[in-house]
Short mmCIF file of all heavy atoms in Angstrom, two decimals:
data_model
loop_
_atom_site.label_atom_id
_atom_site.label_comp_id
_atom_site.label_asym_id
_atom_site.label_seq_id
_atom_site.Cartn_x
_atom_site.Cartn_y
_atom_site.Cartn_z
N ALA A 9 -10.99 -4.20 9.14
CA ALA A 9 -10.04 -3.72 8.13
C ALA A 9 -8.64 -4.27 8.40
O ALA A 9 -8.14 -4.15 9.51
CB ALA A 9 -10.04 -2.19 8.13
N VAL A 10 -8.06 -4.83 7.37
CA VAL A 10 -6.68 -5.34 7.49
C VAL A 10 -5.75 -4.41 6.69
O VAL A 10 -6.07 -3.98 5.59
CB VAL A 10 -6.57 -6.76 6.88
CG1 VAL A 10 -5.12 -7.26 6.90
CG2 VAL A 10 -7.49 -7.73 7.65
N VAL A 11 -4.61 -4.08 7.30
CA VAL A 11 -3.59 -3.25 6.63
C VAL A 11 -2.28 -4.05 6.56
O VAL A 11 -1.70 -4.35 7.60
CB VAL A 11 -3.35 -1.93 7.36
CG1 VAL A 11 -2.34 -1.06 6.59
CG2 VAL A 11 -4.64 -1.17 7.56
N THR A 12 -1.84 -4.40 5.36
CA THR A 12 -0.52 -5.10 5.28
C THR A 12 0.61 -4.08 5.40
O THR A 12 0.46 -2.92 4.99
CB THR A 12 -0.39 -5.90 3.96
OG1 THR A 12 -0.22 -4.99 2.87
CG2 THR A 12 -1.57 -6.82 3.71
N GLY A 13 1.71 -4.50 6.00
CA GLY A 13 2.82 -3.57 6.23
C GLY A 13 2.39 -2.41 7.13
O GLY A 13 2.93 -1.32 7.04
N GLY A 14 1.45 -2.70 8.02
CA GLY A 14 0.89 -1.65 8.85
C GLY A 14 1.65 -1.34 10.13
O GLY A 14 1.25 -0.53 10.93
N ALA A 15 2.82 -2.00 10.30
CA ALA A 15 3.58 -1.82 11.53
C ALA A 15 4.20 -0.44 11.63
O ALA A 15 4.45 0.06 12.75
CB ALA A 15 4.64 -2.90 11.66
N GLN A 16 4.51 0.16 10.50
CA GLN A 16 5.21 1.47 10.55
C GLN A 16 4.84 2.28 9.31
O GLN A 16 4.14 1.80 8.41
CB GLN A 16 6.73 1.25 10.57
CG GLN A 16 7.27 0.57 9.33
CD GLN A 16 8.79 0.49 9.34
OE1 GLN A 16 9.37 -0.06 10.29
NE2 GLN A 16 9.44 0.99 8.29
N GLY A 17 5.34 3.51 9.29
CA GLY A 17 5.26 4.36 8.08
C GLY A 17 3.85 4.64 7.62
O GLY A 17 2.94 4.86 8.42
N ILE A 18 3.64 4.62 6.32
CA ILE A 18 2.35 4.95 5.74
C ILE A 18 1.29 3.95 6.22
O ILE A 18 0.15 4.34 6.52
CB ILE A 18 2.44 4.96 4.21
CG1 ILE A 18 3.38 6.11 3.73
CG2 ILE A 18 1.06 5.14 3.56
CD1 ILE A 18 3.67 6.10 2.24
N GLY A 19 1.66 2.68 6.32
CA GLY A 19 0.69 1.65 6.75
C GLY A 19 0.17 1.91 8.14
O GLY A 19 -1.01 1.72 8.43
N GLN A 20 1.05 2.35 9.02
CA GLN A 20 0.65 2.68 10.37
C GLN A 20 -0.35 3.84 10.38
O GLN A 20 -1.37 3.80 11.08
CB GLN A 20 1.87 3.04 11.22
CG GLN A 20 1.54 3.43 12.66
CD GLN A 20 2.79 3.62 13.52
OE1 GLN A 20 3.91 3.46 13.05
NE2 GLN A 20 2.57 3.96 14.76
N ALA A 21 -0.07 4.86 9.57
CA ALA A 21 -0.97 6.01 9.47
C ALA A 21 -2.34 5.56 8.90
O ALA A 21 -3.40 6.05 9.31
CB ALA A 21 -0.37 7.09 8.61
N ILE A 22 -2.30 4.62 7.95
CA ILE A 22 -3.55 4.12 7.38
C ILE A 22 -4.35 3.38 8.46
O ILE A 22 -5.57 3.58 8.60
CB ILE A 22 -3.27 3.17 6.19
CG1 ILE A 22 -2.67 4.00 5.02
CG2 ILE A 22 -4.53 2.45 5.75
CD1 ILE A 22 -2.13 3.14 3.86
N ALA A 23 -3.66 2.52 9.22
CA ALA A 23 -4.36 1.79 10.27
C ALA A 23 -5.00 2.76 11.27
O ALA A 23 -6.15 2.56 11.69
CB ALA A 23 -3.36 0.86 11.02
N GLN A 24 -4.27 3.81 11.59
CA GLN A 24 -4.81 4.82 12.53
C GLN A 24 -6.03 5.51 11.96
O GLN A 24 -7.03 5.72 12.64
CB GLN A 24 -3.71 5.83 12.83
CG GLN A 24 -4.05 6.76 13.94
CD GLN A 24 -2.82 7.52 14.42
OE1 GLN A 24 -1.67 7.14 14.12
NE2 GLN A 24 -3.01 8.55 15.19
N ALA A 25 -5.93 5.88 10.65
CA ALA A 25 -7.08 6.59 10.04
C ALA A 25 -8.31 5.67 9.99
O ALA A 25 -9.45 6.13 10.24
CB ALA A 25 -6.70 7.04 8.62
N LEU A 26 -8.12 4.40 9.70
CA LEU A 26 -9.26 3.48 9.65
C LEU A 26 -9.83 3.26 11.05
O LEU A 26 -11.05 3.19 11.26
CB LEU A 26 -8.84 2.13 9.02
CG LEU A 26 -8.31 2.20 7.59
CD1 LEU A 26 -7.87 0.82 7.11
CD2 LEU A 26 -9.33 2.79 6.63
N ARG A 27 -8.92 3.16 12.02
CA ARG A 27 -9.36 3.07 13.43
C ARG A 27 -10.15 4.31 13.84
O ARG A 27 -11.23 4.20 14.45
CB ARG A 27 -8.10 2.87 14.31
CG ARG A 27 -8.32 2.47 15.76
CD ARG A 27 -8.59 3.59 16.72
NE ARG A 27 -7.86 4.84 16.51
CZ ARG A 27 -6.75 5.19 17.17
NH1 ARG A 27 -6.20 4.37 18.02
NH2 ARG A 27 -6.20 6.38 16.91
N ASP A 28 -9.63 5.46 13.48
CA ASP A 28 -10.35 6.71 13.78
C ASP A 28 -11.77 6.72 13.14
O ASP A 28 -12.66 7.37 13.65
CB ASP A 28 -9.57 7.94 13.31
CG ASP A 28 -8.31 8.18 14.14
OD1 ASP A 28 -8.16 7.51 15.22
OD2 ASP A 28 -7.44 8.96 13.72
N GLY A 29 -11.85 6.02 12.02
CA GLY A 29 -13.18 5.92 11.35
C GLY A 29 -14.08 4.93 12.01
O GLY A 29 -15.25 4.80 11.62
N GLY A 30 -13.56 4.21 13.01
CA GLY A 30 -14.42 3.28 13.75
C GLY A 30 -14.18 1.82 13.41
O GLY A 30 -14.83 0.93 13.96
N ALA A 31 -13.24 1.56 12.48
CA ALA A 31 -13.01 0.18 12.08
C ALA A 31 -12.25 -0.63 13.17
O ALA A 31 -11.51 -0.06 13.97
CB ALA A 31 -12.21 0.13 10.78
N ASP A 32 -12.50 -1.92 13.14
CA ASP A 32 -11.75 -2.88 13.96
C ASP A 32 -10.53 -3.23 13.07
O ASP A 32 -10.69 -3.85 12.02
CB ASP A 32 -12.67 -4.08 14.18
CG ASP A 32 -11.99 -5.21 14.97
OD1 ASP A 32 -10.83 -5.03 15.39
OD2 ASP A 32 -12.63 -6.25 15.12
N ILE A 33 -9.32 -2.80 13.47
CA ILE A 33 -8.18 -2.94 12.57
C ILE A 33 -7.29 -4.16 12.91
O ILE A 33 -7.10 -4.51 14.11
CB ILE A 33 -7.29 -1.68 12.55
CG1 ILE A 33 -6.89 -1.27 13.94
CG2 ILE A 33 -7.97 -0.57 11.80
CD1 ILE A 33 -5.69 -0.34 13.99
N VAL A 34 -6.73 -4.75 11.86
CA VAL A 34 -5.78 -5.83 12.00
C VAL A 34 -4.53 -5.44 11.22
O VAL A 34 -4.60 -5.15 10.01
CB VAL A 34 -6.33 -7.17 11.44
CG1 VAL A 34 -5.30 -8.27 11.63
CG2 VAL A 34 -7.66 -7.52 12.08
N ILE A 35 -3.39 -5.38 11.93
CA ILE A 35 -2.14 -5.05 11.28
C ILE A 35 -1.42 -6.34 10.89
O ILE A 35 -1.07 -7.15 11.76
CB ILE A 35 -1.30 -4.17 12.22
CG1 ILE A 35 -2.01 -2.83 12.36
CG2 ILE A 35 0.12 -4.04 11.68
CD1 ILE A 35 -1.36 -1.90 13.30
N ALA A 36 -1.23 -6.55 9.59
CA ALA A 36 -0.59 -7.75 9.10
C ALA A 36 0.78 -7.36 8.54
O ALA A 36 0.88 -6.61 7.56
CB ALA A 36 -1.44 -8.40 8.00
N ASP A 37 1.84 -7.82 9.18
CA ASP A 37 3.18 -7.38 8.77
C ASP A 37 4.14 -8.54 8.96
O ASP A 37 3.95 -9.38 9.86
CB ASP A 37 3.61 -6.18 9.66
CG ASP A 37 4.70 -5.34 9.01
OD1 ASP A 37 5.85 -5.85 8.89
OD2 ASP A 37 4.44 -4.20 8.66
N ARG A 38 5.20 -8.56 8.15
CA ARG A 38 6.17 -9.66 8.35
C ARG A 38 7.01 -9.41 9.58
O ARG A 38 7.60 -10.34 10.11
CB ARG A 38 7.02 -9.81 7.08
CG ARG A 38 8.09 -8.77 6.91
CD ARG A 38 8.97 -9.13 5.74
NE ARG A 38 9.78 -7.93 5.41
CZ ARG A 38 10.47 -7.80 4.32
NH1 ARG A 38 10.50 -8.76 3.42
NH2 ARG A 38 11.17 -6.68 4.10
N ASN A 39 7.03 -8.18 10.05
CA ASN A 39 7.72 -7.85 11.30
C ASN A 39 6.69 -8.01 12.43
O ASN A 39 6.01 -7.05 12.81
CB ASN A 39 8.29 -6.43 11.26
CG ASN A 39 9.07 -6.09 12.50
OD1 ASN A 39 8.97 -6.74 13.54
ND2 ASN A 39 9.92 -5.08 12.37
N ALA A 40 6.62 -9.23 13.01
CA ALA A 40 5.53 -9.57 13.95
C ALA A 40 5.58 -8.70 15.20
O ALA A 40 4.54 -8.24 15.68
CB ALA A 40 5.62 -11.04 14.32
N GLN A 41 6.83 -8.47 15.67
CA GLN A 41 6.95 -7.68 16.91
C GLN A 41 6.47 -6.25 16.73
O GLN A 41 5.73 -5.74 17.56
CB GLN A 41 8.45 -7.65 17.32
CG GLN A 41 8.72 -8.44 18.56
CD GLN A 41 10.19 -8.31 18.94
OE1 GLN A 41 11.08 -8.07 18.10
NE2 GLN A 41 10.43 -8.47 20.21
N ALA A 42 6.93 -5.64 15.67
CA ALA A 42 6.54 -4.24 15.40
C ALA A 42 5.03 -4.15 15.15
O ALA A 42 4.36 -3.21 15.59
CB ALA A 42 7.31 -3.70 14.21
N ALA A 43 4.50 -5.17 14.49
CA ALA A 43 3.04 -5.18 14.21
C ALA A 43 2.26 -5.24 15.53
O ALA A 43 1.27 -4.53 15.69
CB ALA A 43 2.67 -6.36 13.32
N ALA A 44 2.73 -6.10 16.45
CA ALA A 44 2.04 -6.25 17.73
C ALA A 44 2.13 -4.92 18.53
O ALA A 44 1.12 -4.53 19.12
CB ALA A 44 2.66 -7.39 18.52
N ALA A 45 3.29 -4.28 18.49
CA ALA A 45 3.44 -3.03 19.23
C ALA A 45 2.52 -1.95 18.66
O ALA A 45 1.84 -1.22 19.41
CB ALA A 45 4.90 -2.58 19.17
N THR A 46 2.48 -1.84 17.34
CA THR A 46 1.63 -0.82 16.69
C THR A 46 0.14 -1.13 16.99
O THR A 46 -0.64 -0.23 17.30
CB THR A 46 1.88 -0.77 15.19
OG1 THR A 46 3.26 -0.47 14.98
CG2 THR A 46 1.03 0.30 14.51
N ALA A 47 -0.20 -2.40 16.91
CA ALA A 47 -1.61 -2.78 17.15
C ALA A 47 -1.97 -2.43 18.61
O ALA A 47 -3.09 -1.94 18.85
CB ALA A 47 -1.80 -4.27 16.90
N ALA A 48 -1.05 -2.66 19.52
CA ALA A 48 -1.33 -2.35 20.94
C ALA A 48 -1.56 -0.83 21.12
O ALA A 48 -2.46 -0.40 21.78
CB ALA A 48 -0.19 -2.84 21.82
N ASP A 49 -0.68 -0.05 20.42
CA ASP A 49 -0.84 1.42 20.48
C ASP A 49 -2.17 1.89 19.96
O ASP A 49 -2.79 2.81 20.47
CB ASP A 49 0.21 2.07 19.55
CG ASP A 49 1.54 2.29 20.28
OD1 ASP A 49 1.60 1.99 21.48
OD2 ASP A 49 2.49 2.73 19.58
N LEU A 50 -2.59 1.24 18.88
CA LEU A 50 -3.81 1.74 18.17
C LEU A 50 -5.08 1.04 18.66
O LEU A 50 -6.16 1.42 18.23
CB LEU A 50 -3.65 1.52 16.67
CG LEU A 50 -2.53 2.29 15.96
CD1 LEU A 50 -2.50 1.98 14.49
CD2 LEU A 50 -2.69 3.80 16.16
N GLY A 51 -4.91 0.05 19.49
CA GLY A 51 -6.11 -0.65 19.96
C GLY A 51 -6.68 -1.58 18.92
O GLY A 51 -7.91 -1.69 18.74
N GLY A 52 -5.80 -2.27 18.19
CA GLY A 52 -6.26 -3.27 17.23
C GLY A 52 -5.60 -4.59 17.48
O GLY A 52 -5.04 -4.81 18.57
N SER A 53 -5.63 -5.49 16.51
CA SER A 53 -4.90 -6.75 16.66
C SER A 53 -3.89 -6.88 15.52
O SER A 53 -3.88 -6.06 14.60
CB SER A 53 -5.88 -7.92 16.66
OG SER A 53 -6.72 -7.86 15.56
N SER A 54 -3.04 -7.88 15.64
CA SER A 54 -1.98 -8.02 14.65
C SER A 54 -1.82 -9.46 14.24
O SER A 54 -2.24 -10.38 14.97
CB SER A 54 -0.64 -7.49 15.17
OG SER A 54 -0.19 -8.32 16.21
N LEU A 55 -1.22 -9.69 13.08
CA LEU A 55 -0.84 -11.04 12.72
C LEU A 55 0.45 -10.97 11.90
O LEU A 55 0.65 -10.01 11.14
CB LEU A 55 -1.95 -11.83 12.05
CG LEU A 55 -2.61 -11.31 10.77
CD1 LEU A 55 -1.87 -11.81 9.54
CD2 LEU A 55 -4.05 -11.85 10.74
N ALA A 56 1.28 -11.99 12.07
CA ALA A 56 2.54 -12.06 11.32
C ALA A 56 2.20 -12.58 9.92
O ALA A 56 1.57 -13.63 9.77
CB ALA A 56 3.49 -13.01 12.01
N LEU A 57 2.59 -11.82 8.91
CA LEU A 57 2.26 -12.24 7.55
C LEU A 57 3.37 -11.79 6.57
O LEU A 57 3.71 -10.60 6.56
CB LEU A 57 0.92 -11.67 7.12
CG LEU A 57 0.53 -11.96 5.65
CD1 LEU A 57 0.28 -13.44 5.42
CD2 LEU A 57 -0.71 -11.16 5.25
N ASP A 58 3.85 -12.71 5.77
CA ASP A 58 4.70 -12.35 4.67
C ASP A 58 3.81 -12.46 3.40
O ASP A 58 3.38 -13.53 3.04
CB ASP A 58 5.89 -13.32 4.57
CG ASP A 58 6.81 -12.98 3.43
OD1 ASP A 58 6.42 -12.19 2.52
OD2 ASP A 58 7.97 -13.46 3.42
N VAL A 59 3.57 -11.31 2.79
CA VAL A 59 2.63 -11.29 1.68
C VAL A 59 3.09 -12.06 0.44
O VAL A 59 2.30 -12.34 -0.45
CB VAL A 59 2.22 -9.83 1.28
CG1 VAL A 59 1.56 -9.11 2.42
CG2 VAL A 59 3.43 -9.05 0.77
N THR A 60 4.36 -12.42 0.43
CA THR A 60 4.88 -13.18 -0.74
C THR A 60 4.54 -14.66 -0.69
O THR A 60 4.79 -15.40 -1.63
CB THR A 60 6.40 -13.02 -0.90
OG1 THR A 60 7.05 -13.64 0.23
CG2 THR A 60 6.82 -11.57 -0.96
N ASP A 61 4.00 -15.09 0.48
CA ASP A 61 3.68 -16.52 0.69
C ASP A 61 2.17 -16.68 0.53
O ASP A 61 1.40 -16.39 1.45
CB ASP A 61 4.18 -16.90 2.09
CG ASP A 61 3.84 -18.33 2.46
OD1 ASP A 61 3.08 -18.99 1.72
OD2 ASP A 61 4.35 -18.75 3.51
N SER A 62 1.74 -17.15 -0.62
CA SER A 62 0.31 -17.14 -0.89
C SER A 62 -0.50 -18.03 0.02
O SER A 62 -1.64 -17.72 0.36
CB SER A 62 0.03 -17.45 -2.39
OG SER A 62 0.20 -18.83 -2.65
N ALA A 63 0.09 -19.15 0.48
CA ALA A 63 -0.64 -20.03 1.40
C ALA A 63 -0.87 -19.31 2.73
O ALA A 63 -1.98 -19.38 3.32
CB ALA A 63 0.13 -21.34 1.63
N SER A 64 0.15 -18.57 3.20
CA SER A 64 -0.02 -17.81 4.45
C SER A 64 -1.04 -16.70 4.26
O SER A 64 -1.79 -16.38 5.21
CB SER A 64 1.31 -17.15 4.85
OG SER A 64 2.29 -18.12 5.04
N VAL A 65 -1.07 -16.11 3.11
CA VAL A 65 -2.05 -15.06 2.85
C VAL A 65 -3.48 -15.63 2.95
O VAL A 65 -4.36 -15.08 3.62
CB VAL A 65 -1.81 -14.42 1.46
CG1 VAL A 65 -2.99 -13.54 1.05
CG2 VAL A 65 -0.51 -13.61 1.46
N ASP A 66 -3.70 -16.79 2.31
CA ASP A 66 -5.01 -17.43 2.40
C ASP A 66 -5.39 -17.73 3.85
O ASP A 66 -6.51 -17.51 4.27
CB ASP A 66 -5.02 -18.71 1.57
CG ASP A 66 -4.92 -18.45 0.08
OD1 ASP A 66 -5.04 -17.29 -0.35
OD2 ASP A 66 -4.70 -19.40 -0.70
N GLU A 67 -4.40 -18.23 4.60
CA GLU A 67 -4.64 -18.58 6.01
C GLU A 67 -5.00 -17.30 6.79
O GLU A 67 -5.82 -17.35 7.71
CB GLU A 67 -3.42 -19.21 6.64
CG GLU A 67 -3.28 -20.69 6.37
CD GLU A 67 -1.88 -21.21 6.75
OE1 GLU A 67 -1.27 -20.65 7.70
OE2 GLU A 67 -1.44 -22.15 6.07
N ALA A 68 -4.28 -16.20 6.47
CA ALA A 68 -4.52 -14.95 7.20
C ALA A 68 -5.97 -14.48 7.03
O ALA A 68 -6.61 -14.05 7.99
CB ALA A 68 -3.52 -13.88 6.77
N VAL A 69 -6.47 -14.59 5.81
CA VAL A 69 -7.84 -14.18 5.55
C VAL A 69 -8.80 -15.06 6.37
O VAL A 69 -9.70 -14.56 7.05
CB VAL A 69 -8.18 -14.24 4.05
CG1 VAL A 69 -9.68 -14.09 3.82
CG2 VAL A 69 -7.41 -13.17 3.29
N GLU A 70 -8.55 -16.37 6.33
CA GLU A 70 -9.39 -17.29 7.11
C GLU A 70 -9.38 -16.93 8.59
O GLU A 70 -10.40 -16.92 9.27
CB GLU A 70 -8.89 -18.76 6.96
CG GLU A 70 -9.14 -19.36 5.61
CD GLU A 70 -10.60 -19.23 5.17
OE1 GLU A 70 -11.47 -19.56 5.99
OE2 GLU A 70 -10.82 -18.78 4.02
N ARG A 71 -8.17 -16.63 9.08
CA ARG A 71 -8.01 -16.34 10.50
C ARG A 71 -8.74 -15.07 10.90
O ARG A 71 -9.43 -15.01 11.93
CB ARG A 71 -6.52 -16.21 10.84
CG ARG A 71 -6.23 -16.60 12.26
CD ARG A 71 -4.76 -16.52 12.54
NE ARG A 71 -4.53 -15.57 13.61
CZ ARG A 71 -3.32 -15.15 13.98
NH1 ARG A 71 -2.26 -15.57 13.34
NH2 ARG A 71 -3.21 -14.30 14.96
N VAL A 72 -8.64 -14.04 10.08
CA VAL A 72 -9.34 -12.79 10.39
C VAL A 72 -10.83 -13.03 10.44
O VAL A 72 -11.54 -12.58 11.35
CB VAL A 72 -9.00 -11.69 9.35
CG1 VAL A 72 -9.91 -10.50 9.50
CG2 VAL A 72 -7.53 -11.29 9.46
#
Side-chain angles (χ1 to χ4, degrees):
V10 176
V11 183
T12 71
Q16 64 175 54
I18 295 173
Q20 179 173 359
I22 292 169
Q24 190 166 346
L26 299 178
R27 191 275 322 262
D28 290 348
D32 178 5
I33 53 161
V34 181
I35 292 176
D37 200 292
R38 75 173 167 193
N39 184 341
Q41 249 184 333
T46 302
D49 273 356
L50 296 179
S53 52
S54 68
L55 57 89
L57 175 66
D58 181 343
V59 298
T60 66
D61 177 350
S62 74
S64 301
V65 167
D66 291 349
E67 277 168 31
V69 169
E70 289 307 313
R71 209 178 120 189
V72 169

